[in-house]
């Protein structure tokens, strides 16, 4: 029985160098064009939702292709990095990145989350008007869910705890059925 021969290390290196020479730089062009164009589309909010996933995934592909390209061209890259202009551009890019990171506007609260929080902490007596139901309809709906609502000052959080569920579950149940 013969065992399969593994290629010699220098043969593997030649194959890898051939793969890099044939593919690394060439892959950057089409991927870079698509990532660049979808980036412009997202900046101007043209079909942003449609292209965002493609932009993100191809962006990862671009990073991989760039890594292969840099690996293939490591000697010219080492000479380029030693130039003073590279340090100048690196400094400019660093200042821009730090500026974007340091001067971000405060995040706006999510209105949906705020509404759910307010609804979950509101007293039961306020809910019929909020949910556009009568108190009787709301009480029967809660009973159908196995929740006793004897105290009008209890919140949906308190009521949901009776059945070991989060308030968001109870809100979904109440809003989904009328």
């Amino acid at each position: 029985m013969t065992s399969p021969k593994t290629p010699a290390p220098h043969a593997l290196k030649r194959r890898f160098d051939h793969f890099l020479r044939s593919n690394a730089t060439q892959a950057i062009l089409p991927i870079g064009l698509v990532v660049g164009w979808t980036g412009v589309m997202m900046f101007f909010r043209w079909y942003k939702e449609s292209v965002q996933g493609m932009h993100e995934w191809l962006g990862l592909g671009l990073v991989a292709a760039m890594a292969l390209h840099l690996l293939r061209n490591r000697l010219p890259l080492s000479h380029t990095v030693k130039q003073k202009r590279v340090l100048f551009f690196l400094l400019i890019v660093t200042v821009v990145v730090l500026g974007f990171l340091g001067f971000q506007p405060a995040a706006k609260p999510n209105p949906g989350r705020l509404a759910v929080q307010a609804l979950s902490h509101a007293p039961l007596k306020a809910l019929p008007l909020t949910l556009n139901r009568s108190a009787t309809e709301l009480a029967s709906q809660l009973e159908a869910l196995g929740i006793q609502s004897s105290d009008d000052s209890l919140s949906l959080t308190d009521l949901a705890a009776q059945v070991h569920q989060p308030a968001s579950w109870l809100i979904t149940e109440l809003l989904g059925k009328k």
Side-chain angles (χ1 to χ4, degrees), residues 86-106:
V86 172
L87 182 61
F88 173 72
F89 287 116
L90 182 62
L91 183 64
I92 289 174
V93 169
T94 302
V95 167
V96 169
V97 167
L98 291 176
F100 271 102
L101 293 176
F103 298 106
Q104 286 289 324

Side-chain angles (χ1 to χ4, degrees), residues 56-76:
E56 290 171 354
W57 282 101
L58 285 177
L60 290 175
L62 182 62
V63 169
M66 286 173 55
L68 291 174
H69 172 77
L70 292 174
L71 182 64
R72 169 72 178 121
N73 296 293
R74 59 191 171 274
L75 291 177

Side-chain angles (χ1 to χ4, degrees), residues 28-160:
I28 290 175
L29 180 64
I31 296 172
L33 287 173
V34 174
V35 169
W37 182 246
T38 55
V40 169
M41 292 174 72
M42 288 171 47
F43 180 81
F44 289 109
R45 295 179 184 11
W46 299 331
Y47 308 103
K48 182 178 180 178
E49 295 79 21
S50 302
V51 299
Q52 187 170 359
M54 173 177 44
H55 177 81
E56 290 171 354
W57 282 101
L58 285 177
L60 290 175
L62 182 62
V63 169
M66 286 173 55
L68 291 174
H69 172 77
L70 292 174
L71 182 64
R72 169 72 178 121
N73 296 293
R74 59 191 171 274
L75 291 177
L77 176 66
S78 68
H79 294 296
T80 302
V81 168
K82 293 176 186 172
Q83 296 176 3
K84 290 187 181 195
R85 280 183 293 167
V86 172
L87 182 61
F88 173 72
F89 287 116
L90 182 62
L91 183 64
I92 289 174
V93 169
T94 302
V95 167
V96 169
V97 167
L98 291 176
F100 271 102
L101 293 176
F103 298 106
Q104 286 289 324
K108 296 179 182 176
N110 182 330
R113 179 174 286 153
L114 292 176
V116 168
Q117 286 174 350
L119 194 57
S120 65
H121 296 297
L124 187 57
K125 60 186 167 197
L127 293 179
L129 180 62
T130 307
L131 297 175
N132 195 24
R133 293 182 177 76
S134 70
T136 310
E137 288 175 324
L138 185 59
S140 66
Q141 206 174 352
L142 289 170
E143 257 182 55
L145 294 169
I147 298 172
Q148 301 301 318
S149 58
S150 58
D151 186 2
D152 282 352
S153 65
L154 292 176
S155 68
L156 288 181
T157 302
D158 300 326
L159 296 173

